[in-house]
Amino acid sequence: SLVANTYEALGPGNFPMIIETLSDNATRTAKNVKLILKEKGGRSAPVAYAFRKIGKIVIRPREGADFEQVYDDVIESGAEELEGELNEEDPAQTEFEITTSPSTLSAVQTSLSSPPQEHIILESGFEYIPADLDAPLPELNQEDEEQVEKLCKALSEDPDVDVVWTLRGRWEEEE
């Protein structure tokens, strides 16, 4: 059976990150994550204080729903925030991002996708965002920036690593 674990770390330049893993061997995964951190200039460290875990849902509104209807449905479902606007030219291409608390993600998703709302769920899951959205992001010099990129890439290449979160969001390799 697969086990999910979360690791907290500081990368080069004391750049905070959260590493989510999914593995059939937690001991192997912990060893691999710690080895990659060590080899790439990072270290295990408590950084959860720098992040806030949220639920994020992306929906396409049901046919014929206007912004007010979507807004009312989102608020009634228990969500915290709605972002986006109706695409008047092509309503079928409209997408809204909805933020929830982690504990209400499932209930909000069920509410929005069930009758009478019946919105289309495009994405749903947890994200880590900066705990203080008004605080400036840590600035890294060019060398540390490159080292953080190498660390994130090495972590993401480990088959047990599911997601690497930084204060800039989900790490994804630039193409």
Side-chain angles (χ1 to χ4, degrees):
S1 71
L2 296 177
V3 177
N5 281 306
T6 303
Y7 300 89
E8 300 174 45
L10 283 173
N14 289 322
F15 195 71
M17 56 183 59
I18 292 182
I19 303 141
E20 293 184 315
T21 63
L22 192 59
S23 172
D24 61 351
N25 185 330
T27 304
R28 175 194 68 224
T29 302
K31 181 180 169 187
N32 288 350
V33 167
K34 289 175 183 175
L35 181 62
I36 292 168
L37 287 169
K38 182 178 178 183
E39 289 178 347
K40 300 295 181 184
R43 62 184 168 88
S44 294
V47 297
Y49 68 88
F51 294 89
R52 182 167 78 101
K53 187 175 185 178
I54 62 168
K56 182 73 80 162
I57 302 170
V58 178
I59 66 164
R60 178 159 296 133
R62 71 179 173 278
E63 189 173 332
D66 62 19
F67 180 82
E68 288 77 22
Q69 291 169 321
V70 173
Y71 180 81
D72 289 344
D73 291 346
V74 167
I75 297 304
E76 288 174 17
S77 73
E80 295 176 358
E81 189 175 329
L82 171 69
E83 292 182 32
E85 50 189 68
L86 199 58
N87 181 338
E88 300 290 342
E89 292 177 17
D90 190 358
Q93 296 305 311
T94 298
E95 293 182 6
F96 290 103
E97 283 192 6
I98 298 156
T99 303
T100 72
S101 69
S103 62
T104 62
L105 175 68
S106 180
V108 170
Q109 178 179 330
T110 299
S111 173
L112 292 172
S113 62
S114 301
Q117 284 84 2
E118 295 181 322
H119 300 291
I120 299 165
I121 306 295
L122 300 175
E123 295 176 35
S124 179
F126 298 109
E127 291 187 7
Y128 286 92
I129 62 172
D132 182 355
L133 294 173
D134 296 326
L137 293 176
E139 291 193 29
L140 297 174
N141 63 39
Q142 185 173 351
E143 181 182 344
D144 286 341
E145 186 76 46
E146 291 169 3
Q147 294 302 325
V148 166
E149 284 293 312
K150 289 178 183 177
L151 171 57
C152 290
K153 183 175 193 244
L155 286 165
S156 69
E157 289 174 348
D158 185 284
D160 295 335
V161 172
D162 191 30
V163 182
V164 177
W165 296 100
T166 73
L167 291 179
R168 297 176 184 155
R170 181 186 193 118
W171 185 84
E172 295 179 301
E173 187 170 9
E174 294 179 12
E175 298 184 20

